[in-house]
Amino acid sequence: MRGSGAGTSEIDKAEARRAGAARLPALFTRRRSTGPGDADFDRRNASRAGLFNLGALWREEQAFGRVFLMVPVALAAGICWWFSLSQSPALPGLALYCGLSVVAAVLLRNGKGFPRLASAGLALFLCGAMLAATETGRRATVMLDSPVTTHIAGIVESREPTETGWRYVVKVTATDDPVIHRPPERVTLVARGNLPPVPIGHNIQGLGRLLPPSAPVMPGLVDFGFLSYFDGVGAVGFFYGPPKDIGRPPAPGPVAEAALAIERIRDGIAGRIRTVLEGDTGAFANAIITGERRALSDDMLDALRNAGLAHIIAISGLHMALAAGIFFSSLRLLLAMSPRAAEAVSTKKIAAAAAIAAALFYLLISGMQVSAERAFIMLAVMLAAAIFDRPAISLRNVALAALVILIVTPAEVVGPGMQMSFAATLALIAGYGAWQRRPAGGLASRRGALRWLWIAFSGIVLTALIGGCRRRRLPSTISRALPATGFWATCLPCRW
């Protein structure tokens, strides 16, 4: 029985302190099983189990059917492990171990507990290593080992304006004086000056200086040689003087001709933008439409970085959603204007299919950046779900996009583009998921203009906060051990 008077508040405070002290150890203790229904406990029981109870969190992931989200993480771990080795393991031995692990995972697929998860994780890990080894052997890019000055002849595959001239991606056909007996297949060369550029698909010739792609300036920085190898570029350099346009060669084949046609469309759009919008305005418009960012001045880049808006010039979900969303809404509105068409067909499904085609066109003219590929895959899955009347789960879309990119281009996982793109996307989805599960109350429970202002303001603040937090890096020792730190740091606690 509690006392009365002034002493009641002191007794209540003491009991509250004892209750808080008793709850603190529970955060770090294992949650006991309560029977067969233990896997179906809800979010309230999960929070009672404690934030650091990994077993409870893993059971919650299984209960929600989210184990699939860890598949790209396991693949990426294997890819990073293979690329971090100082010496590549023998491919036959790696293939043997990978095959045995896959067989073990298949045999234990109906089991329970740790053996099933361990076999599946090991199989995915080794499959990721096999993907990395396969792509490395498939690329077989010839890399220049020492600087050389030579006469270069080749075909312009793409071009991009810079502040002082043009940057060409050239498919080398011949070298002379001296002759390089094993020349790189593709090189990037900068030509300075205001002379008319050599058109895409034409032969280009000139005296140039070729250099090997640079290694990291400091430990932990970007390895441009690694990225160039998997881009198929074996050397970088510049022309001495303006290069010559030798004319258009014979048709190289249907696939190469299609790639050149896409580049010509990109170049035509970029040229039209530069004609209408001059200076940094046109360069910024080109950066968010065609992906050409080298024409941006240093002042513009510094201003974007200082304002925290440098990520806008990287084509990603914002740009893809705007392009496809505007096309989807406009086409559906046009179809809805005809009562006969609106009653005969599903205008939403037709608009969704057309929006996928529009997003694919935007992806092709944007330069196929990793962030754009991720955004397109997620958007295509969501629009396809609308066509087939299926729900689209955001986190599963992210995992599916990661799987596609890891299978097609495994080397992207150790690059900053994929890490930052997926880290930001996962952090935003997980953050807003936690925000939606919060108890209703305050201004969000009211109605009227004040509620909408609060939603808009809190959304902007929450987005900026999540985007700023995911930029924080792990200690340098951990980042050297796990190259894709941004990817891991956001993938693993996606439900926390």
Side-chain angles (χ1 to χ4, degrees):
M1 178 177 176
R2 294 181 180 177
S4 59
T8 303
S9 60
E10 285 75 4
I11 294 175
D12 292 341
K13 290 179 181 179
E15 291 181 354
R17 285 194 296 268
R18 285 194 295 271
R23 285 195 299 268
L24 183 60
L27 294 176
F28 303 93
T29 58
R30 183 183 297 274
R31 182 179 181 272
R32 295 182 179 179
S33 177
T34 58
D38 186 64
D40 298 326
F41 62 85
D42 55 11
R43 174 174 48 84
R44 183 176 51 194
N45 289 334
S47 62
R48 190 183 300 125
L51 180 62
F52 299 101
N53 194 330
L54 296 180
L57 290 171
W58 181 251
R59 288 193 296 271
E60 183 186 10
E61 297 294 327
Q62 290 179 303
F64 279 90
R66 298 189 179 222
V67 181
F68 173 73
L69 302 180
M70 302 304 295
V71 172
V73 178
L75 278 177
I79 295 170
C80 289
W81 170 76
W82 194 90
F83 283 126
S84 64
L85 296 176
S86 58
Q87 185 176 0
S88 301
L91 186 59
L94 182 61
L96 176 62
Y97 287 122
C98 181
L100 292 176
S101 64
V102 171
V103 171
V106 172
L107 294 177
L108 297 174
R109 68 186 184 278
N110 295 325
K112 295 182 179 179
F114 179 77
R116 176 191 176 189
L117 295 176
S119 61
L122 180 61
L124 291 170
F125 183 89
L126 294 178
C127 284
M130 276 296 300
L131 287 174
T134 303
E135 188 193 20
T136 303
R138 178 175 61 87
R139 292 286 181 179
T141 304
V142 178
M143 306 295 291
L144 191 69
D145 57 356
S146 60
V148 61
T149 301
T150 181
H151 289 84
I152 305 166
I155 301 173
V156 177
E157 292 188 341
S158 64
R159 65 183 187 182
E160 183 178 352
T162 64
E163 286 190 278
T164 58
W166 288 84
R167 176 180 178 270
Y168 298 97
V169 177
V170 179
K171 181 179 180 181
V172 178
T173 57
T175 58
D176 186 29
D177 193 21
V179 175
I180 303 177
H181 296 287
R182 196 166 178 263
E185 184 179 354
R186 298 169 70 235
V187 299
T188 59
L189 294 167
V190 175
R192 298 179 177 87
N194 296 323
L195 295 176
V198 178
I200 294 175
H202 284 217
N203 283 317
I204 190 172
Q205 186 178 8
L207 178 63
R209 177 71 170 175
L210 295 179
L211 306 167
S214 61
V217 179
M218 295 179 63
L221 296 185
V222 179
D223 187 351
F224 292 101
F226 179 89
L227 299 178
S228 297
Y229 177 89
F230 289 98
D231 287 338
V233 177
V236 298
F238 55 89
F239 282 109
Y240 288 107
K244 298 179 181 179
D245 182 3
I246 310 301
R248 189 169 181 174
V255 177
E257 187 62 30
L260 291 176
I262 294 173
E263 290 296 332
R264 292 190 187 100
I265 294 174
R266 287 187 65 212
D267 187 70
I269 295 173
R272 177 61 180 170
I273 293 174
R274 287 191 297 270
T275 302
V276 177
L277 302 174
E278 298 180 354
D280 282 334
T281 305
F284 183 82
N286 264 327
I288 63 175
I289 295 176
T290 63
E292 296 182 355
R293 290 175 284 183
R294 296 182 181 275
L296 287 168
S297 65
D298 293 338
D299 294 338
M300 169 65 80
L301 291 174
D302 291 340
L304 290 173
R305 294 189 186 103
N306 293 334
L309 299 175
H311 60 278
I312 292 179
I313 60 177
I315 298 175
S316 58
L318 172 64
H319 312 77
M320 197 69 66
L322 286 174
I326 293 173
F327 194 88
F328 174 85
S329 303
S330 302
L331 182 57
R332 191 175 184 186
L333 180 62
L334 289 175
L335 292 174
M337 289 182 179
S338 172
R340 189 172 181 180
E343 293 176 358
V345 297
S346 175
T347 58
K348 181 182 76 172
K349 295 182 179 181
I350 295 177
I356 293 177
L360 177 61
F361 176 76
Y362 184 33
L363 174 66
L364 293 176
I365 68 171
S366 67
M368 300 286 287
Q369 304 171 14
V370 177
S371 56
E373 293 176 356
R374 188 266 311 160
F376 169 75
I377 296 172
M378 292 183 61
L379 187 65
V381 170
M382 295 177 65
L383 292 174
I387 294 175
F388 294 100
D389 297 320
R390 303 281 296 184
I393 304 175
S394 296
L395 281 176
R396 288 184 177 271
N397 292 351
V398 179
L400 182 61
L403 273 178
V404 173
I405 294 176
L406 290 176
I407 293 173
V408 177
T409 54
E412 294 292 349
V413 73
V414 296
M418 182 172 180
Q419 292 181 31
M420 296 183 68
S421 176
F422 277 93
T425 304
L426 285 165
L428 289 172
I429 292 175
Y432 276 104
W435 178 264
Q436 290 177 352
R437 294 192 299 270
R438 77 192 190 283
L443 294 176
S445 61
R446 299 182 181 180
R447 296 183 179 180
L450 187 60
R451 175 176 180 269
W452 292 108
L453 287 175
W454 165 250
I455 292 175
F457 176 78
S458 60
I460 294 173
V461 173
L462 184 62
T463 301
L465 180 63
I466 294 173
C469 289
R470 61 97 182 169
R471 291 192 184 99
R472 299 193 64 179
R473 298 193 57 172
L474 298 178
S476 58
T477 55
I478 302 178
S479 65
R480 283 194 293 269
L482 295 176
T485 52
F487 191 74
W488 312 131
T490 317
C491 281
L492 296 177
C494 60
R495 284 276 301 166
W496 295 2

